[in-house]
Amino acid sequence: MAKRPILVICGVMAFLFATTSCTPKVQVEAPSEPITINLNIKLDAEVRLKIEEQAKDDITNNPGIF
């Protein structure tokens, strides 16, 4: 009869070990390189829009240009 409590204790310890070893680990670390944001697309679109508007104005003001 002495073997049964020992087996129960070993079983509980094994269960606790198994559940604690599967605990997820979350780490927050700073990146090694700085974060860069490329805004060239927005600036390019803005410049292109201004040039297109200027071209439309030039064509309407000078219909014989082409």
Side-chain angles (χ1 to χ4, degrees):
M1 281 231 182
K3 291 183 181 182
R4 184 172 175 139
I6 293 173
L7 289 176
V8 171
I9 292 172
C10 288
V12 170
M13 288 178 61
F15 176 75
L16 291 175
F17 178 74
T19 56
T20 57
S21 65
C22 295
T23 305
K25 183 177 180 182
V26 178
Q27 290 182 338
V28 178
E29 296 180 9
S32 60
E33 298 178 6
I35 298 172
T36 57
I37 300 172
N38 189 352
L39 298 176
N40 290 337
I41 295 171
K42 181 182 176 207
L43 295 174
D44 180 44
E46 185 178 343
V47 169
R48 182 180 227 171
L49 180 64
K50 288 181 180 179
I51 291 173
E52 287 178 1
E53 289 175 356
Q54 182 64 37
K56 286 180 185 178
D57 290 341
D58 289 342
I59 290 171
T60 56
N61 293 336
N62 302 315
I65 201 168
F66 289 107

